[in-house]
Amino acid sequence: MSIDQTATHEIYTRRKGRNVAVLLILLAFVALVFAVTIVKMSNGASMEAFDHAIRPSILPEVSE
Amino acid sequence: MTDTAMDIETVQTGEAQVKDYFALMKPRVMSLVVLTAAIGMFAAPGGVHPVIALATILCIAIGAGASGALNMWWDADIDAVMKRTANRPLPSGVVEPGEALGIGVALSIMSVLMLSIFGNIFSAVFLAFTIFFYVVIYSMWLKRSTPQNIVIGGAAGAFPPMIGWAVATGGISLESLLMFALIFLWTPPHFWALAIFRNEDYVKAGVPMLPVVAGDRATRNQILIYTLLLFPVAMVLAFTSVGGPVYFAVALAYNARFLWGAWSIWKRDEATATADKFKTELRVFLESIGYLFALFIALGIEIMLRALDLSWSGWPVLF
């Protein structure tokens, strides 16, 4: 069975289009996570989570 | 068929383009979800940082898109026999069923996880429940088993403003429940107006829509009943903390038009409708889309007026 060169080129163009889209989505995702992190840290949000050990910094504040 | 033609067909199978995957996520439904979730979020007290708002609305939109993909994966067989849905990516063969399932599951998990980080746990659980409700309760269970499928399934489409509100406040309130009720009660008359003139499609696909099971007359009655129920819900929202005179005026005008449309549908019978090719039903269906957009945009205007300190302080907030 012969391989048609035009068809091969066409499929590469499609794949390239998809790969570029995936790249752009990943870059946008990284930028979004970075931006959200900056905003959350600027607003003083607690960025620490449970880690099997008691840490005073993540205990809820008790009003006097 | 020549060898060359065969080669092209073999090579092209499963090689969908980006726009085909995008179509899988029901972009028109997503646009409504983005609007209602954003309004729910910005209308809530407290305010959300613009970056957090963008990130969380994106998560909600992707969650909605993921459930759209899963719905198309599950319903590919009936989509193929209905005129309205026959050229969707799965029935037309552009996207493989496995791809749709994979994309749907992966994006569902991603959107819920990211919403729990960007927003809060409550809104993420709410989004997960919405996806589950749309895919399992509506698509897999109710759609093919009861003529009330649209009524109960409509809840899935009504959750986004509540999720938006939950992102901002971490909870539920009367305002968010009313926004839910607005979309919930709007869905049946909107869809049944479509179902009346797409009846043949649903009969062919074996979907027990109300006109198929209960008949044309019962559907016309139900459209009027739901539009009557919708009216007070839409108006009460004007007298809560998210409403105001702009919303009141828009809601009054659009509800009057929707009620007039429902009344016109109720007055007609199948014979009259068939004679003029369901002109009124089609008009009301299209108007109903404008109705929901208009009411939520009016809520958006109220939010902007409050932000600019231009809202009327004398407006009665009764609820």
Side-chain angles (χ1 to χ4, degrees), chain B residues 75 77-88 91 143 198-207 209:
Chain B
D75 279 345
D77 57 333
I78 53 174
D79 280 353
V81 293
M82 297 207 295
K83 233 186 286 169
R84 185 173 69 91
T85 51
N87 52 2
R88 281 181 175 174
K143 188 171 176 180
R198 289 285 192 185
N199 199 3
E200 270 176 41
D201 258 5
Y202 290 112
V203 172
K204 215 162 56 173
V207 179
M209 290 296 281

Side-chain angles (χ1 to χ4, degrees), chain B residues 231-250:
Chain B
F231 179 71
V233 170
M235 296 322 292
V236 164
L237 198 55
F239 301 101
T240 63
S241 68
V242 302
V246 175
Y247 172 80
F248 177 80
V250 172

Side-chain angles (χ1 to χ4, degrees), chain B residues 41-271:
Chain B
M41 189 181 298
F42 292 122
V48 181
H49 190 284
V51 173
I52 305 287
L54 175 78
T56 50
I57 290 168
L58 203 63
C59 289
I60 300 169
I62 291 170
S67 47
L70 289 170
N71 168 275
M72 283 201 202
W73 164 73
W74 183 259
D75 279 345
D77 57 333
I78 53 174
D79 280 353
V81 293
M82 297 207 295
K83 233 186 286 169
R84 185 173 69 91
T85 51
N87 52 2
R88 281 181 175 174
L90 278 172
S92 63
V94 183
V95 174
E96 298 284 317
E99 285 183 293
L101 176 64
I103 289 171
V105 170
L107 290 183
S108 297
I109 294 170
M110 275 293 281
S111 61
V112 170
L113 284 180
M114 294 321 290
L115 188 60
S116 73
I117 296 167
F118 293 160
N120 52 54
I121 300 285
F122 180 72
S123 58
V125 171
F126 214 150
L127 180 64
F129 176 71
T130 305
I131 297 170
F132 169 80
F133 197 93
Y134 186 65
V135 177
V136 179
I137 309 279
Y138 170 67
S139 303
M140 294 184 177
W141 180 30
L142 297 171
K143 188 171 176 180
R144 301 181 195 218
S145 62
T146 163
Q148 294 297 313
N149 48 14
I150 285 303
V151 179
I152 308 160
F159 284 131
M162 288 189 83
I163 303 174
W165 187 280
V167 167
T169 65
I172 295 171
S173 72
L174 175 70
E175 290 89 342
S176 76
L177 281 169
L178 282 170
M179 283 188 272
F180 166 85
L182 184 71
I183 307 176
F184 182 69
L185 292 171
W186 164 87
T187 310
H190 163 74
F191 258 101
W192 285 332
L194 171 83
I196 285 182
F197 67 86
R198 289 285 192 185
N199 199 3
E200 270 176 41
D201 258 5
Y202 290 112
V203 172
K204 215 162 56 173
V207 179
M209 290 296 281
L210 197 64
V212 180
V213 178
D216 187 84
R217 186 68 262 159
T219 310
R220 288 171 194 278
N221 294 344
Q222 292 291 317
I223 288 175
L224 185 63
I225 292 169
Y226 274 93
T227 316
L228 283 168
L229 291 172
L230 178 64
F231 179 71
V233 170
M235 296 322 292
V236 164
L237 198 55
F239 301 101
T240 63
S241 68
V242 302
V246 175
Y247 172 80
F248 177 80
V250 172
L252 195 62
Y254 275 84
N255 270 289
R257 192 170 75 147
F258 200 10
L259 268 173
W260 176 250
W263 171 255
S264 311
I265 288 181
W266 183 78
K267 270 195 318 190
R268 286 149 64 88
D269 57 20
E270 203 173 354

Side-chain angles (χ1 to χ4, degrees), chain A residues 17-55:
Chain A
R18 288 196 338 192
N19 293 345
V20 168
V22 170
L23 173 72
L24 291 177
I25 290 167
L26 286 175
L27 285 176
F29 182 65
V30 170
L32 191 67
V33 172
F34 180 72
V36 169
T37 309
I38 298 294
V39 169
K40 288 216 170 202
M41 286 176 78
S42 315
N43 290 346
S46 169
M47 301 300 281
E48 292 178 70
F50 175 71
D51 193 25
H52 305 278
I54 293 173
R55 276 174 294 158

Side-chain angles (χ1 to χ4, degrees), chain A residues 1-4 7-8 10-11 14-15 17-18 21 29 32-33 35-36 39-40 43, chain B residues 4 6-8 11-12 14-16 18 21 49 51-52 55 58 110 114 117-119:
Chain A
M1 212 184 273
S2 65
I3 293 176
D4 184 273
T8 318
E10 210 267 334
I11 208 78
R14 276 167 183 243
R15 280 196 189 143
R18 288 196 338 192
F29 182 65
L32 191 67
V33 172
V36 169
V39 169
K40 288 216 170 202
N43 290 346
Chain B
T4 314
M6 245 169 79
D7 281 347
I8 294 171
V11 173
Q12 283 183 355
E15 289 291 346
V18 178
Y21 294 118
H49 190 284
V51 173
I52 305 287
L58 203 63
M110 275 293 281
M114 294 321 290
I117 296 167
F118 293 160

